[in-house]
C-alpha cells in the first residue's frame, strides 16, 4: 500500500517536472524576429513587424504604441530614432520582450526624436493630474456595458446592411471574439459581427431590419446593433491592452480656476460689461487724441485674429469626436468664464505699457509682471516671471503661432489644389512674402489688415455654418438635446462625465487664450486714456472665438452626424467632410477660411513674439528686424517639412505662458477691481469722452 502511494507520488512529481521542462523548452524554442522599416524621410511613419517561430499559437503582441491591437504582429506610425517595445506571448503564457529603435533616415527624423523627450517632460508638467496623484478620484474609465455598432469596424463599409440572423439569443452569454450576428450587404455579401467583450448580449436591432455605420440624419447617434452588459463594471482598454484613464490636466484646472476667480471677483463683469464692450468695439468712445496707435476695434481684431484660427476648425472636430456632442456645452461655458480673465490681463497690459519718444509702444504681461509686482515689493519675483513669460512667448510665436499655422494651411490648400502637393517650400515662400508685407510695417499695418481680414473670415465661416445648419434646421431641437444629454450623462465609450467635461474645458481654454496673456500685448497699443476700457473691449473676444465660432463648428458636426462617425479623418478633414455633405464645393470655401485663419494668426503672433523678443534683447529696431526675418524663415520651414515634436513643444509654450501670467494677475486682482470701480462710476456719470459722430447719431 505504501509502495503504491510512493509510486503515485513519484509519478506525479516526474509528470510535473516533465511538463515544466516542456514549457521551458517551448519558451526557449520561441524566437521572434523583428523587421524594422523606415519607408521615407517623413517623421512618425516607422513600421515594425514581428515574425514568431516556436511556442504555441495563437500569439499576442503588446506594443508600446497604445493604438496597435494585441492581435496585430505589425505596428505602424512609430517615431524614428526613439526606443519602442513589444511583448510577444504564446498560448502557454510564455513571453519574449523585444526593444527596438527604427533608424532615423533624415535630419528632421533625428531632430524630431531628440525633441520628443522634452515634449514628454513638458507634457508631464502641463497635463499632470494632481487629483489622481493625491488619490482624490480613480482615473480609470469603467463601463457597465459596451455598445455594439458598425462605426468602429474598419472592414465594414458605409452601405446599408440587412440583419440576417442573430447567432446568440437575447440575454445569452457571449465571449470576446465570438460571432454574434450575421449581416448581409446590398451586394449579397455576408459579414459576421463579433463580440468585442464578454458579457450578456442585449439585442437592439431586430432580425430582418437594416443597419448602417453612419448616423441617421437628425438622430445624432450611431445606430446600435446591440449591447453587451458586464456582470461588474469593466475598465476600458486601449487597443494594446493598456487601461484607459481620464486625466484632469493641471493646466486646464489652472486656467479654469483663474477664469472663475475673476468672474466672481469682478462680479460677473462678463455679463455687466458686455454691452459697453460692444460700444467700445464699434468706436463710440474712441478719442483720436488719446495715447496709443490703434483703435479699440483694431486691438480687438488683432487679438481675435490670433485666437480664431485652426483650433476653431480642427480643434473642435477633435473635441467633438472624442467627447461627443456634450463637449460643446463645456466649451461654451469655459468661453463664458474666460471673458473675465481676458478682461483682467488686457486692463493691465495697457496700464503698464511704455511709449518711447518715437511713439513705439511696449506692453503686455512682461511689463505688468515686472513693474506691477515691483510696486508690491516683489521685484525679484516680478523679474523672474517677466523673463519666463518672454522666453515662452518667443518660442510660442515661432511654433504654435507660426509653423503650425503654415503647416496646416499648406495641407488643406494643397488638397484643394493638387498641383501644390509636394511644393511645400514654395508655398511657404509665397506665404512668407504675404506675411512679411504686413508685419514689416509694425502694429499699425498689422491692425489695419486684421481689422479687414477678421470680419471677412468670420462672416465667411459663420455663413457657411448657417447654411449647413439651415439645411438641417428641423433637427435643431434634437441637436440641443444631444448636447445637454451628452454633457451630463455621457456614454461610457466617450470616457464618462469627467472625460467629456475635461475635453470641452481643455479645448476652450486652449483656444481663447484667456489667461495666456497674448491678447494683452495687442491691447497695449490701443488709443485710450483709460486702461480699463481695453479690459471691457476684450470681453467680446472669447465670445466670438469660443462661444460663437466654436459652437457653430460643433453644431455643423452634430447636425451632419459626423461627431458620431468613425471615418479615420483628422480634425480639419472631418469638418470639411461635414460641410461637403451638404454642398459639394463647400470644402473649397473652408480651405479659403483656413488660409485666412492661419494668415491672421501668424500676423498677430509675429507682434506678440516681437514684443517678447524686445523685452529680452532690447528695443533696437535692428534687433526687431532680426526677429522678423527669423519669423518669416519659420513660415517657410513650417510649410516645407514635418516637425511633429518641435511643433508640439512650441505649442505647449503657449499654454505654459499662463503660469507666470495668472500668478501676476492674482497678486494684482485688488488693483484691477479698484480701477474697474472708478471707471464704472465715470461711465454711469457720463464723464467719459464720446466720439462726436455717435453724439450726432443719438440726437
Amino acid at each position: 500500500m505504501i509502495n503504491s502511494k510512493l509510486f503515485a507520488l513519484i509519478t506525479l512529481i516526474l509528470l510535473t517536472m516533465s511538463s515544466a521542462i516542456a514549457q521551458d523548452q517551448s519558451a526557449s524554442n520561441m524566437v521572434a524576429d523583428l523587421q524594422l522599416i523606415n519607408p521615407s524621410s517623413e517623421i512618425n511613419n516607422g513600421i515594425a513587424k514581428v515574425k514568431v517561430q516556436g511556442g504555441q499559437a495563437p500569439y499576442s503582441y503588446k506594443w508600446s504604441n497604445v493604438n496597435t491591437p494585441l492581435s496585430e504582429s505589425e505596428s505602424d506610425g512609430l517615431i524614428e530614432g526613439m526606443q519602442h517595445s513589444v511583448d510577444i506571448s504564446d498560448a502557454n503564457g510564455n513571453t519574449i520582450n523585444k526593444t527596438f529603435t527604427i533608424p532615423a533616415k533624415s535630419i528632421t527624423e533625428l531632430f524630431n526624436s531628440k525633441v520628443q523627450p522634452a515634449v514628454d517632460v513638458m507634457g508631464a508638467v502641463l497635463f499632470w493630474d494632481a487629483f489622481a496623484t493625491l488619490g482624490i478620484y480613480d482615473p480609470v474609465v469603467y463601463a457597465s456595458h459596451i455598445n455594439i455598432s458598425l462605426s468602429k469596424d474598419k472592414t465594414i463599409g458605409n452601405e446599408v446592411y440587412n440583419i440576417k440572423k442573430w447567432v446568440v439569443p437575447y440575454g445569452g452569454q457571449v465571449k470576446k471574439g465570438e460571432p454574434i450576428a450575421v449581416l448581409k450587404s446590398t451586394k449579397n455579401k455576408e459579414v459576421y459581427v463579433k463580440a468585442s467583450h464578454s458579457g450578456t448580449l442585449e439585442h437592439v436591432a431586430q432580425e430582418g431590419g437594416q443597419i448602417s455605420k453612419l448616423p441617421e440624419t437628425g438622430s445624432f447617434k450611431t445606430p446600435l446593433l446591440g449591447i453587451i452588459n458586464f456582470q461588474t463594471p469593466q475598465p476600458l482598454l486601449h487597443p494594446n491592452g493598456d487601461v484607459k484613464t481620464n486625466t484632469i490636466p493641471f493646466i486646464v484646472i489652472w486656467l479654469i480656476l483663474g477664469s472663475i476667480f475673476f468672474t466672481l471677483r469682478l462680479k460677473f463683469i462678463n455679463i455687466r460689461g458686455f454691452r459697453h464692450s460692444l460700444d467700445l468695439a464699434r468706436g463710440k468712445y474712441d478719442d483720436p487724441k488719446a495715447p496709443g496707435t490703434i483703435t479699440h476695434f483694431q486691438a480687438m481684431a488683432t487679438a481675435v485674429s490670433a485666437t480664431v484660427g485652426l483650433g476653431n476648425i480642427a480643434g473642435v472636430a477633435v473635441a467633438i469626436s472624442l467627447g461627443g456632442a456634450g463637449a460643446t456645452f463645456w466649451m461654451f461655458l469655459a468661453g463664458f468664464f474666460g471673458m473675465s480673465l481676458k478682461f483682467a490681463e488686457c486692463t493691465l497690459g495697457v496700464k503698464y505699457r511704455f511709449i518711447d519718444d518715437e511713439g513705439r509702444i511696449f506692453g503686455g504681461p512682461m511689463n505688468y509682471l515686472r513693474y506691477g509686482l515691483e510696486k508690491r515689493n516683489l521685484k525679484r519675483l516680478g523679474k523672474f516671471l517677466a523673463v519666463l513669460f518672454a522666453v515662452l512667448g518667443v518660442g510660442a510665436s515661432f511654433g504654435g503661432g507660426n509653423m503650425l499655422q503654415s503647416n496646416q494651411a499648406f495641407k488643406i490648400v494643397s488638397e484643394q489644389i493638387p498641383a501644390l502637393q509636394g511644393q511645400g517650400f514654395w508655398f511657404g515662400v509665397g506665404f512668407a512674402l504675404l506675411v512679411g508685407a504686413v508685419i514689416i510695417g509694425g502694429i499699425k499695418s498689422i491692425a489695419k489688415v486684421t481689422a479687414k481680414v477678421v470680419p471677412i473670415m468670420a462672416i465667411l465661416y459663420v455663413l457657411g455654418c448657417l447654411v449647413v445648419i439651415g439645411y438641417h434646421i428641423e433637427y435643431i431641437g434634437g441637436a440641443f438635446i444631444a448636447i445637454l444629454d451628452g454633457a451630463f450623462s455621457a456614454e461610457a465609450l466617450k470616457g464618462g462625465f469627467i472625460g467629456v467635461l475635461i475635453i470641452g474645458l481643455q479645448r476652450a481654454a486652449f483656444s481663447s487664450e484667456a489667461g495666456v496673456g497674448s491678447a494683452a500685448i495687442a491691447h497695449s497699443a490701443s488709443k485710450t486714456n483709460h486702461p480699463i476700457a481695453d479690459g471691457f473691449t476684450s470681453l467680446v473676444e472669447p465670445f466670438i472665438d469660443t462661444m460663437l465660432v466654436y459652437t457653430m463648428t460643433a453644431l455643423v458636426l452634430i447636425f451632419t452626424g459626423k461627431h458620431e462617425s468613425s471615418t479615420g479623418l483628422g480634425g480639419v478633414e472631418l469638418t470639411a467632410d461635414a460641410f461637403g455633405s451638404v454642398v459639394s464645393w463647400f470644402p473649397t470655401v473652408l480651405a479659403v477660411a483656413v488660409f485666412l485663419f492661419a494668415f491672421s494668426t501668424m500676423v498677430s503672433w509675429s507682434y506678440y513674439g516681437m514684443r517678447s523678443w524686445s523685452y529680452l534683447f532690447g528695443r533696437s529696431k535692428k534687433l526687431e528686424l532680426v526677429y522678423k526675418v527669423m519669423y518669416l524663415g519659420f513660415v517657410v520651414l513650417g510649410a516645407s517639412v514635418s516637425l511633429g515634436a518641435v511643433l508640439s513643444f512650441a505649442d505647449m509654450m503657449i499654454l505654459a505662458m499662463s503660469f507666470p501670467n495668472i500668478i501676476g494677475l492674482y497678486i494684482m486682482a485688488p488693483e484691477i477691481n479698484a480701477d474697474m470701480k472708478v471707471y464704472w462710476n465715470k461711465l454711469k456719470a457720463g464723464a467719459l469722452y464720446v466720439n462726436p459722430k455717435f453724439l450726432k447719431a443719438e440726437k
Side-chain angles (χ1 to χ4, degrees), residues 111-112 114-127 388 391-401 403-404 643-657:
F111 194 50
N112 180 61
K114 299 302 180 186
V115 176
Q116 186 62 44
V119 172
D120 295 337
V121 170
M122 198 168 185
V125 174
L126 292 174
F127 303 108
L388 176 60
V391 170
L392 293 169
V394 171
S397 72
F398 288 144
M403 288 194 294
L404 177 64
L643 294 168
V646 178
L647 292 180
S648 298
F649 185 76
D651 208 23
M652 284 182 181
M653 284 185 167
I654 296 178
L655 299 178
M657 289 163 68

Side-chain angles (χ1 to χ4, degrees), residues 62-355:
K62 183 173 176 55
W63 297 89
S64 53
N65 179 7
V66 297
N67 295 316
T68 306
L70 290 165
S71 58
E72 293 292 330
S73 61
E74 178 181 328
S75 181
D76 55 18
L78 303 177
I79 300 175
E80 302 86 355
M82 286 195 67
Q83 191 176 78
H84 305 278
S85 67
V86 58
D87 293 329
I88 306 110
S89 301
D90 71 356
N92 294 326
N94 301 311
T95 302
I96 298 175
N97 174 264
K98 291 281 186 179
T99 58
F100 59 93
T101 301
I102 296 174
K105 273 186 175 180
S106 62
I107 295 175
T108 52
E109 288 179 342
L110 188 62
F111 194 50
N112 180 61
S113 66
K114 299 302 180 186
V115 176
Q116 186 62 44
V119 172
D120 295 337
V121 170
M122 198 168 185
V125 174
L126 292 174
F127 303 108
W128 170 58
D129 189 344
F131 297 101
T133 303
L134 296 172
I136 295 174
Y137 84 112
D138 183 1
V140 175
V141 181
Y142 291 96
S144 59
H145 69 276
I146 194 160
N147 295 329
I148 308 168
S149 68
L150 307 185
S151 63
K152 302 298 180 183
D153 195 331
K154 295 179 181 179
T155 63
I156 294 178
N158 292 335
E159 59 188 298
V160 176
Y161 289 82
N162 292 312
I163 304 167
K164 182 179 179 181
K165 180 183 178 183
W166 280 102
V167 179
V168 178
Y170 188 101
Q173 294 294 314
V174 295
K175 292 183 178 180
K176 183 178 178 180
E178 182 179 288
I180 56 174
V182 182
L183 308 181
K184 195 172 185 179
S185 71
T186 52
K187 299 176 182 177
N188 291 323
K189 180 183 177 182
E190 289 191 352
V191 177
Y192 283 86
V193 178
K194 296 181 180 179
S196 58
H197 293 73
S198 299
T200 305
L201 180 64
E202 179 182 333
H203 299 172
V204 174
Q206 302 300 316
E207 279 188 12
Q210 293 184 326
I211 192 167
S212 168
K213 70 188 303 182
L214 298 177
E216 296 176 8
T217 306
S219 70
F220 311 108
K221 290 186 177 181
T222 302
L224 295 183
L225 180 64
I227 297 172
I228 297 177
N229 295 303
F230 308 136
Q231 290 184 348
T232 57
Q234 299 291 314
L236 292 181
L237 304 177
H238 288 287
N240 77 331
D242 285 351
V243 175
K244 284 188 177 181
T245 57
N246 273 328
T247 58
I248 305 179
F250 177 68
I251 186 64
V252 175
I253 300 302
W254 181 250
L255 289 166
I256 296 301
L257 286 181
S259 300
I260 294 173
F261 171 82
F262 279 99
T263 300
L264 299 176
R265 185 74 172 80
L266 302 175
K267 298 178 181 177
F268 286 88
I269 192 63
N270 48 351
I271 298 175
R272 296 190 297 133
F274 189 70
R275 182 177 177 181
H276 182 56
S277 175
L278 295 176
D279 285 338
L280 283 162
R282 65 194 184 101
K284 184 175 181 179
Y285 298 94
D286 283 353
D287 183 353
K289 296 180 181 180
T293 56
I294 61 177
T295 66
H296 290 299
F297 176 77
Q298 288 175 331
M300 182 204 73
T302 302
V304 168
S305 70
T307 56
V308 179
L310 292 168
N312 298 82
I313 300 173
V316 175
V318 171
I320 295 297
S321 62
L322 291 175
T328 309
F329 176 84
W330 299 112
M331 285 191 288
F332 188 90
L333 198 64
F336 169 76
F337 284 110
M339 294 166 71
S340 303
L341 192 53
K342 266 263 175 94
F343 176 95
E345 61 192 8
C346 291
T347 293
L348 294 177
V350 178
K351 185 172 184 177
Y352 285 90
R353 67 185 177 181
F354 169 76
I355 304 177

Side-chain angles (χ1 to χ4, degrees), residues 33 44 107 163 248 355 378 401 463 506 628 686:
D33 292 324
N44 303 343
I107 295 175
I163 304 167
I248 305 179
I355 304 177
L378 297 169
L463 282 176
Q506 178 174 306
K628 290 175 181 178

Side-chain angles (χ1 to χ4, degrees), residues 269 272-287 294-301 343 347 523 526-541 679-680 683 688-691 693-694:
I269 192 63
R272 296 190 297 133
F274 189 70
R275 182 177 177 181
H276 182 56
S277 175
L278 295 176
D279 285 338
L280 283 162
R282 65 194 184 101
K284 184 175 181 179
Y285 298 94
D286 283 353
D287 183 353
I294 61 177
T295 66
H296 290 299
F297 176 77
Q298 288 175 331
M300 182 204 73
F343 176 95
T347 293
H523 281 273
S526 182
K527 291 176 70 70
T528 184
N529 292 305
H530 306 283
I532 206 80
D534 270 83
F536 279 99
T537 307
S538 69
L539 290 176
V540 180
E541 294 158 20
Y679 181 86
W680 200 250
L683 176 64
L688 297 178
Y689 173 87
V690 178
N691 195 295
K693 67 179 182 181
F694 285 89

Side-chain angles (χ1 to χ4, degrees), residues 581-598:
S581 67
V582 175
V583 182
S584 61
W585 49 264
F586 255 32
T588 304
V589 176
L590 184 65
V592 173
V594 167
F595 182 83
L596 290 175
F597 284 0

Side-chain angles (χ1 to χ4, degrees), residues 280-551:
L280 283 162
R282 65 194 184 101
K284 184 175 181 179
Y285 298 94
D286 283 353
D287 183 353
K289 296 180 181 180
T293 56
I294 61 177
T295 66
H296 290 299
F297 176 77
Q298 288 175 331
M300 182 204 73
T302 302
V304 168
S305 70
T307 56
V308 179
L310 292 168
N312 298 82
I313 300 173
V316 175
V318 171
I320 295 297
S321 62
L322 291 175
T328 309
F329 176 84
W330 299 112
M331 285 191 288
F332 188 90
L333 198 64
F336 169 76
F337 284 110
M339 294 166 71
S340 303
L341 192 53
K342 266 263 175 94
F343 176 95
E345 61 192 8
C346 291
T347 293
L348 294 177
V350 178
K351 185 172 184 177
Y352 285 90
R353 67 185 177 181
F354 169 76
I355 304 177
D356 67 9
D357 296 336
E358 297 179 19
R360 293 191 302 155
I361 297 174
F362 301 86
M366 302 81 70
N367 285 33
Y368 62 70
L369 288 172
R370 178 173 179 179
Y371 301 111
L373 297 190
E374 186 176 324
K375 283 170 53 177
R376 289 160 180 76
N377 298 316
L378 297 169
K379 185 175 181 179
R380 288 186 178 179
L381 176 62
K383 278 187 174 182
F384 170 74
L385 293 178
V387 170
L388 176 60
F389 181 90
V391 170
L392 293 169
V394 171
S397 72
F398 288 144
N402 182 334
M403 288 194 294
L404 177 64
Q405 307 300 322
S406 64
N407 187 280
Q408 293 298 302
F410 171 66
K411 282 187 178 179
I412 193 163
V413 172
S414 62
E415 284 179 6
Q416 297 302 316
I417 308 175
L420 282 176
Q421 292 180 9
Q423 304 298 321
F425 175 80
W426 294 111
F427 176 88
V429 169
F431 211 177
L433 291 173
L434 189 62
V435 172
V438 178
I439 70 173
I440 297 298
I443 185 60
K444 285 186 179 180
S445 175
I446 292 170
K448 284 180 182 178
V449 171
T450 55
K452 291 183 174 71
V453 171
V454 167
I456 292 171
M457 71 181 189
I459 291 169
L460 179 69
Y461 187 70
V462 170
L463 282 176
C465 292
L466 289 174
V467 169
V468 177
I469 292 168
Y471 187 81
H472 297 297
I473 194 65
E474 67 269 28
Y475 304 118
I476 191 166
F480 282 102
I481 289 172
I483 289 170
L484 292 174
D485 181 59
F488 297 101
S489 57
E491 295 178 359
L493 277 176
K494 295 295 183 185
F497 170 75
I498 292 292
V500 175
L501 170 69
I502 293 303
I503 287 168
L505 295 182
Q506 178 174 306
R507 199 60 257 167
F510 291 3
S511 165
S512 69
E513 292 179 18
V516 168
S518 51
I521 302 175
H523 281 273
S524 67
S526 182
K527 291 176 70 70
T528 184
N529 292 305
H530 306 283
I532 206 80
D534 270 83
F536 279 99
T537 307
S538 69
L539 290 176
V540 180
E541 294 158 20
F543 175 81
I544 295 172
D545 173 78
T546 308
M547 300 174 73
L548 179 62
V549 179
Y550 249 51
T551 303

